[in-house]
């Protein structure tokens, strides 16, 4: 049940955070940054739940579990620190890095959920 809830949270919070991120990039909705941060933290928590599930289920992937932990650590660090990195015309670089790490977090979570479902159903996860 925890994986099912984490999957739902990961999808919804991830999608909403991405939409808000695009709005910020276009210079809109700056007052919603705290909501974006909350959604990002929910993504990280959901990703970690999926990662723990990968580590604990028979047939789970240790690589996905480790990747979930690492990406879950990187995402908020980059997000919280991005306003102090590359402040000149190169700031877009750190924004792209943050976006790519966010997409990696969502993708890793989705891979973990799919593999968890296959492993818990007894299907070989190759």
């Amino acid at each position: 049940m925890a994986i099912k809830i984490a999957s739902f949270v990961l999808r919804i919070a991830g999608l909403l955070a991405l939409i808000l991120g695009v709005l910020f990039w276009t210079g809109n909705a700056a007052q919603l940054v705290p909501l974006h941060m909350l959604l990002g933290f929910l993504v990280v928590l959901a990703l970690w739940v999926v990662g723990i599930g990968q580590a604990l289920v028979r047939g789970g992937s240790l690589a996905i579990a480790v990747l979930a932990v690492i990406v879950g650590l990187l995402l908020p660090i980059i997000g919280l620190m991005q306003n102090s990195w590359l402040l000149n015309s190169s700031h877009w670089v750190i924004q792209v890095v943050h976006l790519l790490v966010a997409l990696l977090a969502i993708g890793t979570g989705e891979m973990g959920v799919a593999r968890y479902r296959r492993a818990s159903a007894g299907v070989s996860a190759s």
Side-chain angles (χ1 to χ4, degrees):
M1 186 57 130
I3 297 296
K4 187 179 258 187
I5 293 168
S7 174
F8 179 77
V9 169
L10 181 68
R11 289 177 179 162
I12 299 301
L15 177 63
L16 292 174
L18 287 172
I19 291 169
L20 286 174
V22 169
L23 286 174
F24 302 150
W25 226 342
T26 61
N28 297 301
Q31 71 277 12
L32 296 177
V33 169
L35 176 59
H36 176 76
M37 291 170 65
L38 174 64
L39 291 167
F41 284 116
L42 289 174
V43 166
V44 169
L45 291 175
L47 178 61
W48 284 346
V49 167
V50 171
I52 291 167
Q54 281 298 298
L56 297 179
V57 72
R58 179 184 208 125
S61 170
L62 184 59
I64 292 175
V66 170
L67 184 61
V69 170
I70 292 170
V71 171
L73 288 171
L74 284 177
L75 187 59
I77 290 170
I78 294 169
L80 291 170
M81 299 300 295
Q82 71 178 329
N83 284 334
S84 60
W85 293 341
L86 299 173
L87 297 179
N88 55 16
S89 61
S90 298
H91 184 65
W92 66 270
V93 173
I94 196 66
Q95 291 174 315
V96 168
V97 169
H98 183 56
L99 172 62
L100 292 175
V101 173
L103 291 173
L104 181 60
I106 294 167
T108 301
E110 288 295 323
M111 285 188 316
V113 167
R115 184 155 183 147
Y116 180 88
R117 286 182 180 150
R118 283 193 311 265
S120 63
V123 177
S124 173
S126 52

